[in-house]
Amino acid sequence: MGSSIGVGLIGLGTVGSGVVRLLRDAPAAMQRRQHLDLQLRRIAVADPAKKRAVDVAADLLTANAMDVVDDPDVQLVVELSGAAGAREWIAAGLERGKDVVTANKAVLAQHGEELFGLALANGVDLMFEASVAGGIPIIRSLRSGLVANEVESLYGILNGTTNYILTRMTRREGGYREILADAQEKGFAEPDPSMDVSGMDAAQKLAILCRIAFHTTGTGEDVYCEGIEQVDTLDIEYARELGFTIKLLAIAKRGPGGVQARVHPAMLPSESLLANIHDEFNAIEVVGSSVGTQVFSGRGAGQMPTASAVVADMVELAERKISGAGSAGGDMILDDGAASLADMSELEIRYYLRLLVEDRPGVLESITHIVAQGDISIASVIQKERDLQGGTVPLIIVTHEARERSMRQAVAAMNELDGVHEEVTVIRMEKL
Ligand code: HSE
């Protein structure tokens, strides 16, 4: 076998086929890597009889993922199935002393502690560059390129589907439901887009980045999460008038009460870099203590960008194995050094509020009274023209920095007022 590394693939869907293509075509940069010889030895697929997008020898195929994990000629397991058994197969590969590459963010966000521990205990590595932001090498950058930094903050657009929808809403191409339906029809959004639009996909990715950058063990469920379902084109227009653009942001920062980790629609100054990341693109702005601000942007999904990240991990693991280097995953084990996630209610930030109010004396006073009681200072109030049919008008309030807990109480009280129609819309405003 010489110095060749036997590869076993679990899953030959879109990304798996991209990986097979890259191994076959081996770009020049890979060919120049001396001794690198990755040999595909086994592939698990749900249906071995199905016609494939790439040609693979029929005798490589099996319907049983454990055949891949157990194959003595496989030293490197690449799990790209997205199937329910993924955690078990990854764990089994590590327990058998095999290096593992996965793109499965849900498994890593939920079971990272256990799986990274298993890798270390077995002297192997679990790599996962493709799990966050597709082709952007953000994991590698945080783990090695920026290792000489304390990460101070991280702002990301980590979900392509929601960025695509918000971009088209910002271009005045329609409302949320209409654009989502169109995106589904064109195959740009999943038939079940709930993980994307609810923000949970981004929250899982943020949990993984937080483990590396801030040494937290929280899962996707521990990240405060709001999706884009309630974003209205009215808010996009009012944001534009104020000089802001609405994006679904994944934010992690150090604060007095621990590490803040949150995913929610946010207003960004329209001239900021992240406000200008359009369509399905992803981006991450990292502030490091030594390096200052760095911005990474690119394709966060899709066949070849994701395969590019998977193959980068495979090459690194193969070279490490060939050179006899041991496991390098110690940095992913937190033990007693784990930091805690901060309580969201302690957040201090500026807020944009949109209310639909009756246009009559005393309504504005009752609203400002509630705001003042919460010790919240108003930066500006804009009342739009009277809607002659309903007698109601949109009222926009922008606050100075206020505490999340106070703002929630104030909004709950506003929602109880007679003169306020519809639920108050609240959008946090980021400085950047
Ligand atoms: N569904 C994700 C997105 C890609 O829209 O960005 C995979 O993480």
Side-chain angles (χ1 to χ4, degrees), residues 105 131 158-162 190 196 201 205 282 300-301:
K105 61 192 162 272
S131 65
L158 298 180
N159 183 267
T161 306
T162 47
E190 300 279 349
D196 295 310
D201 174 83
K205 292 168 177 167
N282 281 194

Side-chain angles (χ1 to χ4, degrees), residues 13 20-21 26 33 37 91 96 102-103 107 114 128 144 146 156 206 211 223 270 288 290-291 309 392:
V20 171
R21 247 179 229 151
R33 302 261 170 169
D37 181 19
R96 284 157 181 72
T102 184
V107 166
E114 173 208 350
F128 49 97
S144 57
L146 299 178
L206 188 63
R211 171 179 275 274
V223 171
S270 294
S290 308
V291 81
T392 54

Side-chain angles (χ1 to χ4, degrees), residues 107-149:
V107 166
L108 287 172
Q110 192 66 35
H111 304 286
E113 194 68 7
E114 173 208 350
L115 295 173
F116 292 119
L118 264 182
L120 196 69
N122 288 283
V124 288
D125 278 305
L126 169 60
M127 293 191 75
F128 49 97
E129 184 63 72
S131 65
V132 179
I136 304 175
I138 187 63
I139 305 281
R140 193 165 262 95
S141 299
L142 288 172
R143 286 182 80 182
S144 57
L146 299 178
V147 71
N149 290 264

Side-chain angles (χ1 to χ4, degrees), residues 18 31 56 65 72 79 144 157 176 202 205 243 293 322 325 348 413:
Q31 290 175 22
V56 286
E79 190 286 312
S144 57
I157 294 175
Y176 167 72
K205 292 168 177 167
T293 303
I322 290 166
E348 289 193 22

Side-chain angles (χ1 to χ4, degrees), residues 67-369:
D67 287 348
V68 171
V69 173
D70 285 327
D71 190 323
D73 289 338
V74 166
Q75 289 95 45
L76 173 55
V77 175
V78 180
E79 190 286 312
L80 301 171
S81 67
R87 189 205 68 81
E88 186 195 327
W89 301 326
I90 294 169
L94 298 171
E95 279 162 350
R96 284 157 181 72
K98 303 185 180 202
D99 290 317
V100 177
V101 174
T102 184
N104 195 320
K105 61 192 162 272
V107 166
L108 287 172
Q110 192 66 35
H111 304 286
E113 194 68 7
E114 173 208 350
L115 295 173
F116 292 119
L118 264 182
L120 196 69
N122 288 283
V124 288
D125 278 305
L126 169 60
M127 293 191 75
F128 49 97
E129 184 63 72
S131 65
V132 179
I136 304 175
I138 187 63
I139 305 281
R140 193 165 262 95
S141 299
L142 288 172
R143 286 182 80 182
S144 57
L146 299 178
V147 71
N149 290 264
E150 289 295 331
V151 176
E152 289 165 8
S153 66
L154 189 154
Y155 285 78
I157 294 175
L158 298 180
N159 183 267
T161 306
T162 47
N163 202 40
Y164 173 84
I165 294 171
L166 291 176
T167 299
R168 289 192 55 190
M169 288 172 75
T170 303
R171 288 185 186 137
R172 301 186 170 124
E173 291 176 23
Y176 167 72
R177 300 213 167 276
E178 190 184 349
I179 291 174
L180 173 60
D182 186 52
Q184 284 175 298
E185 202 175 301
K186 292 183 173 139
F188 294 154
E190 300 279 349
D192 175 4
S194 51
M195 287 295 286
D196 295 310
V197 298
S198 68
M200 190 39 77
D201 174 83
Q204 288 176 340
K205 292 168 177 167
L206 188 63
I208 295 171
L209 294 183
C210 278
R211 171 179 275 274
I212 304 168
F214 298 101
H215 320 299
T216 56
T217 52
T219 70
E221 278 76 39
D222 299 315
V223 171
Y224 176 82
C225 182
E226 284 175 24
I228 65 161
E229 303 97 321
Q230 309 305 328
V231 175
D232 196 300
T233 47
L234 270 179
D235 299 310
I236 288 179
E237 290 308 322
Y238 294 150
R240 196 194 312 271
E241 286 177 26
L242 293 165
F244 287 79
T245 300
I246 299 180
K247 293 287 183 189
L248 182 73
L249 282 194
I251 300 165
K253 287 189 198 185
R254 284 182 206 282
V259 178
Q260 277 175 27
R262 49 195 168 94
V263 171
H264 53 72
M267 286 194 183
L268 300 179
S270 294
E271 72 282 3
S272 63
L273 267 166
L274 289 188
N276 289 287
I277 302 298
H278 303 305
D279 302 307
E280 74 279 23
F281 279 74
N282 281 194
I284 303 110
E285 183 173 310
V286 183
V287 179
S289 55
S290 308
V291 81
T293 303
Q294 304 241 305
V295 182
F296 303 79
S297 80
R299 293 191 186 278
Q303 182 181 46
M304 297 318 289
T306 310
S308 155
V310 171
V311 173
D313 282 350
M314 293 168 65
V315 168
E316 184 172 332
L317 286 172
E319 291 196 318
R320 229 187 266 161
K321 176 116 353 243
I322 290 166
S323 71
S327 166
D331 61 321
M332 296 306 292
I333 308 294
L334 302 173
D335 293 329
D336 297 341
S340 54
L341 289 179
D343 179 355
M344 179 70 180
S345 60
E346 297 299 321
L347 175 69
E348 289 193 22
I349 197 164
R350 297 180 73 196
Y351 292 87
Y352 157 102
L353 308 179
R354 177 171 58 83
L355 300 88
L356 188 63
V357 299
E358 288 173 20
D359 190 9
R360 60 173 168 77
V363 172
L364 185 56
E365 189 196 8
S366 57
I367 293 165
T368 53
H369 178 68

